[in-house]
């Protein structure tokens, strides 16, 4: 059975997903080597910074089988010297006959140049296979390279009527265990997690990502001052214009920022137009009118025309709760 280019790129995307926790600030790229007869010889994904990129890993595993074969890779191969040697050189030296690329690398050191060098070496190149899927997988990397700022994911957990805490201030736990575990995966996929100082005072969260026996520690960011002895310490304390906050975090190589703050922090980021993606966990519960305990009570919307609209991209059940993903 010979696979289509779409099927091959889907395999490369799956390989890249294995590197999501490993690769940042590098992109989590996947690559596979396919023989002239259509047999998948090897796959590779980006290793930790300073070690092999996906293309080199796949070529190493393919060995002599790479000569005359096709390389399928989610992102344009690099052509500049960084922590590792250029992937373009490794591809040429391996004798690859064709390269199928998901999308161009927006990094100004590479964008389009890697493709040009491959073609100049006599390699057949095809670009844009399953590009939408690849760009969705690498959304935070692409956004950071284009804007210099992290891709902002806002996470909210509420009752069906939008309440995030009860009248006595309690909020643990509105959603169930499986939804909370899913939220820890979100933390692990982010290089920084941000909350307001009020959330630190009220909830004293640790803001680590706990996945079974693995603990991932993203950069903890607090808007304002964190109390002495808070679980988030050590943390980065920032204040002022939120755009400047994002600029600073971008300079720290934060590709994705997870905002987990309370209603004021969440509303501030949305009101400033700085949220790229919302992940909203809904519990099958009702709290009734709770005033300033509503998830976005600080977000004033005078008219229907002023609604901040997004595009629902996914809805799924997680245990007894619902996760809704919205691109903003």
């Amino acid at each position: 059975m010979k696979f289509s280019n779409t099927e091959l790129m889907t395999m490369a995307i799956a390989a890249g997903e294995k590197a999501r926790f490993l690769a940042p600030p590098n992109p989590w790229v996947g690559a596979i080597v396919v023989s002239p007869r259509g047999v998948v010889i090897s796959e590779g994904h980006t290793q930790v910074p300073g070690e092999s990129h996906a293309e080199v890993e796949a070529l190493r595993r393919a060995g002599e089988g790479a000569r005359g074969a096709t390389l399928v890779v989610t992102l344009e191969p690099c052509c500049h010297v960084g922590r590792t040697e250029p992937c373009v050189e490794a591809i040429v030296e391996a004798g690859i006959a064709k390269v199928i690329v998901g999308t161009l690398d927006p990094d100004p050191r590479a964008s389009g140049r890697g493709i040009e060098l491959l073609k100049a070496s006599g390699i057949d190149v095809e670009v844009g296979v399953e590009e939408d899927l690849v760009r969705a997988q690498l959304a935070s990397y692409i956004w950071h390279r284009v804007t210099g700022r992290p891709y902002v994911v806002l996470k909210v957990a509420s009752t069906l009527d939008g309440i995030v805490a009860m009248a006595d201030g309690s909020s643990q736990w509105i959603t169930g265990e499986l939804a909370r575990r899913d939220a820890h995966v979100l933390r692990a996929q982010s290089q920084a997690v941000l909350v307001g100082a009020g959330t630190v005072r009220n909830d004293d969260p640790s803001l680590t990502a706990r996945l079974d026996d693995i603990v991932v520690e993203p950069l903890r960011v607090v808007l304002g001052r964190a109390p002495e002895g808070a679980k988030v310490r050590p943390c980065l304390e920032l204040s002022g214009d939120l755009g400047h906050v994002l600029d600073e975090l971008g300079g720290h190589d934060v590709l994705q920022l997870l905002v987990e703050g309370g209603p004021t922090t969440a509303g501030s980021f949305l009101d400033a137009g700085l949220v790229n993606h919302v992940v909203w966990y809904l519990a099958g519960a009702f709290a009734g009118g709770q005033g300033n305990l509503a998830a976005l009570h600080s977000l004033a919307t005078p008219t229907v025309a002023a609604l901040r609209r997004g595009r629902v991209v996914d809805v799924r059940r997680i245990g007894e709760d619902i996760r809704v993903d919205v691109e903003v």
Side-chain angles (χ1 to χ4, degrees):
M1 175 183 174
K2 194 166 184 177
F3 297 103
S4 68
N5 287 353
T6 294
E7 290 170 324
L8 293 171
M9 187 59 70
T10 300
M11 295 178 197
I13 290 171
E17 197 61 30
K18 298 175 184 177
R20 187 180 283 270
F21 299 156
L22 299 173
N26 292 331
W28 36 104
V29 177
I32 61 173
V33 176
V34 187
S35 76
R37 297 180 62 184
V39 176
V40 176
I41 302 172
S42 66
E43 75 165 43
H45 58 72
T46 311
Q47 303 298 299
V48 297
E51 296 186 8
S52 302
H53 289 187
E55 301 93 319
V56 171
E57 193 71 10
L59 293 172
R60 179 185 64 78
R61 294 176 180 176
E64 282 302 309
R67 196 156 301 278
T70 295
L71 176 71
V72 182
V73 60
T74 54
L75 187 68
E76 175 184 10
C78 67
C79 57
H80 60 279
V81 177
R83 292 188 180 99
T84 61
E85 294 299 311
C87 289
V88 166
E89 291 184 6
I91 293 169
V92 173
E93 290 173 4
I96 288 289
K98 181 175 181 176
V99 177
I100 299 174
V101 178
T103 192
L104 295 179
D105 189 342
D107 190 315
R109 297 172 298 177
S111 190
R113 292 184 59 231
I115 301 300
E116 292 173 4
L117 289 171
L118 289 172
K119 289 181 177 179
S121 299
I123 295 174
D124 185 19
V125 181
E126 181 177 350
V127 181
V129 175
E130 291 298 294
E131 184 165 22
D132 288 346
L133 289 179
V134 172
R135 292 183 68 85
Q137 183 183 46
L138 296 173
S140 56
Y141 167 78
I142 292 171
W143 180 263
H144 180 268
R145 288 300 186 270
V146 171
T147 68
R149 291 178 172 182
Y151 184 89
V152 177
V153 177
L154 171 64
K155 186 217 100 178
V156 179
S158 76
T159 61
L160 276 177
D161 50 348
I163 302 302
V164 296
M166 302 304 104
D168 65 354
S170 61
S171 61
Q172 298 178 343
W173 301 100
I174 289 175
T175 54
E177 183 179 350
L178 292 180
R180 296 198 301 274
R181 189 184 191 284
D182 190 73
H184 277 262
V185 174
L186 270 181
R187 285 183 184 175
Q189 292 174 342
S190 306
Q191 290 71 58
V193 180
L194 180 148
V195 296
T199 295
V200 177
R201 289 192 296 270
N202 295 333
D203 299 339
D204 195 21
S206 63
L207 301 184
T208 57
R210 298 176 295 281
L211 304 174
D212 298 325
D213 295 330
I214 301 172
V215 178
V216 180
E217 296 198 27
L219 174 66
R220 274 89 54 104
V221 184
V222 176
L223 290 181
R225 299 285 296 178
E228 292 295 329
K231 292 178 184 176
V232 295
R233 291 192 174 276
C235 64
L236 179 62
E237 296 171 317
L238 299 174
S239 59
D241 180 81
L242 294 180
H244 293 161
V245 168
L246 295 184
D247 289 336
E248 178 158 350
L249 293 176
H252 283 279
D253 282 335
V254 174
L255 306 186
Q256 179 167 298
L257 171 67
L258 181 63
V259 175
E260 288 199 35
T264 300
T265 299
S268 296
F269 271 89
L270 275 171
D271 200 33
L274 296 174
V275 176
N276 299 91
H277 193 103
V278 176
V279 176
W280 200 302
Y281 296 97
L282 288 164
F286 307 90
Q290 300 286 331
N292 62 0
L293 299 177
L296 299 175
H297 73 82
S298 66
L299 194 63
T301 308
T303 66
V304 170
L307 281 171
R308 294 144 183 90
R309 294 189 182 273
R311 182 172 69 93
V312 176
V313 294
D314 190 32
V315 179
R316 66 185 113 141
R317 182 172 177 171
I318 302 179
E320 295 300 313
D321 305 308
I322 299 294
R323 169 174 165 164
V324 181
D325 282 66
V326 180
E327 287 183 352
V328 183

